[in-house]
Amino acid sequence: MNHSATRIRTLVFSPAIRIFHWLRALSILVLVITGFYIAWPFLVAPESTDVLVQGWIRFAHLICGFVLTAITLVRFYLYFFSRSDIERRSFRDVMSVKSWITQLKSYLWMGHLHKAGVYGPLQFVTYVAISLVALVICITGLVLYANVYHQGLGGMLWGSAAWITAQMGGLAQVRIFHHYLTWAFVIFVVIHVYMAVWSGIRFKHNSVDSIVSGYDYPKPDSHH
């Protein structure tokens, strides 16, 4: 009896990309929670001299901020110089009107999604945009850091931080911009999780488990 495979097991995400994805997700979660608390420290009464809670929360925010900064830079490097070109191939779909129409139709339950790489054109543009948001939020975070810690790394960054602060109209504006970008992360995460789950249900692949195991299971006649 001739048996033909209905799905093909394909490696799409390397271990490095998967590890960085989950570290970034954890960092963003901690940064959002601690960032909102730093903006409104409701656990300690205003007249209290107990700053231990605020200190630990600021420490967690700083550590995760440095982790996010490092991962953001590494992910930019991996996109351009990784041995696997599966992410770079996705750019071809961005330049194709047909690929845009195919993806948008698939979201309306019309036809199936075909991709040159691992991301469709709308996914690719969204991920580039949120990566740029991450880069800017890391820069503004480092500016805020340098304005508080004047020695060590803060001292090294002080010249650049002072220039950026002046260009943005003062430290208060840097903080407000940093805060607004946090909401971009919050909105993105909600939509990202929903679409990842929906995609797995809709197409029976491109699902959440691929960023866990690294493997996707497309049909033999589909292409990435």
Side-chain angles (χ1 to χ4, degrees):
M1 183 179 294
N2 184 23
H3 296 280
S4 58
T6 58
R7 299 280 172 176
I8 299 176
R9 186 171 185 257
T10 306
L11 179 65
V12 291
F13 294 117
S14 67
I17 289 179
R18 301 200 305 273
I19 291 171
F20 289 141
H21 175 275
W22 291 111
L23 280 176
R24 180 166 53 183
L26 178 61
S27 297
I28 290 173
L29 176 63
V30 175
L31 285 167
V32 169
I33 294 173
T34 57
F36 281 128
Y37 179 81
I38 291 170
W40 183 44
F42 58 88
L43 294 178
V44 179
E47 64 275 8
S48 173
T49 58
D50 181 11
V51 295
L52 184 60
V53 173
Q54 181 78 346
W56 280 111
I57 289 177
R58 287 182 64 88
F59 177 73
H61 194 80
L62 290 175
I63 294 299
C64 288
F66 286 126
V67 170
L68 180 63
T69 301
I71 292 175
T72 299
L73 295 176
V74 170
R75 287 297 283 119
F76 273 109
Y77 174 85
L78 288 177
Y79 173 78
F80 289 105
F81 301 109
S82 174
R83 286 179 296 178
S84 172
D85 68 341
I86 194 166
E87 288 189 312
R88 292 191 293 273
R89 291 206 310 265
S90 300
F91 183 72
R92 288 185 292 187
D93 283 330
V94 177
M95 307 304 293
S96 168
V97 175
K98 181 180 179 181
S99 295
W100 278 94
I101 295 174
T102 299
Q103 180 167 35
L104 293 176
K105 285 175 63 178
S106 71
Y107 286 164
L108 298 174
W109 297 82
M110 299 167 60
H112 295 282
L113 179 61
H114 297 283
K115 302 176 294 183
V118 69
Y119 309 125
L122 184 58
Q123 288 174 289
F124 184 87
V125 170
T126 302
Y127 292 159
V128 168
I130 200 64
S131 296
L132 293 175
V133 168
L135 182 62
V136 176
I137 204 170
C138 289
I139 292 173
T140 54
L142 289 171
V143 170
L144 293 172
Y145 173 85
N147 276 274
V148 175
Y149 302 94
H150 302 298
Q151 296 185 4
L153 180 60
M156 293 173 58
L157 296 173
W158 172 246
S160 300
W163 182 84
I164 294 173
T165 302
Q167 298 304 309
M168 295 184 68
L171 196 59
Q173 292 300 318
V174 175
R175 181 193 172 279
I176 291 173
F177 202 69
H178 191 75
H179 180 80
Y180 284 163
L181 290 176
T182 301
W183 282 105
F185 271 141
V186 173
I187 295 170
F188 167 78
V189 168
V190 172
I191 297 174
H192 174 62
V193 171
Y194 171 80
M195 291 303 297
V197 174
W198 180 87
S199 180
I201 297 172
R202 169 72 173 87
F203 303 112
K204 309 304 180 186
H205 70 105
N206 297 314
S207 55
V208 178
D209 61 329
S210 63
I211 199 63
V212 176
S213 67
Y215 290 93
D216 194 12
Y217 298 87
K219 292 182 178 179
D221 59 345
S222 65
H223 61 278
H224 289 266

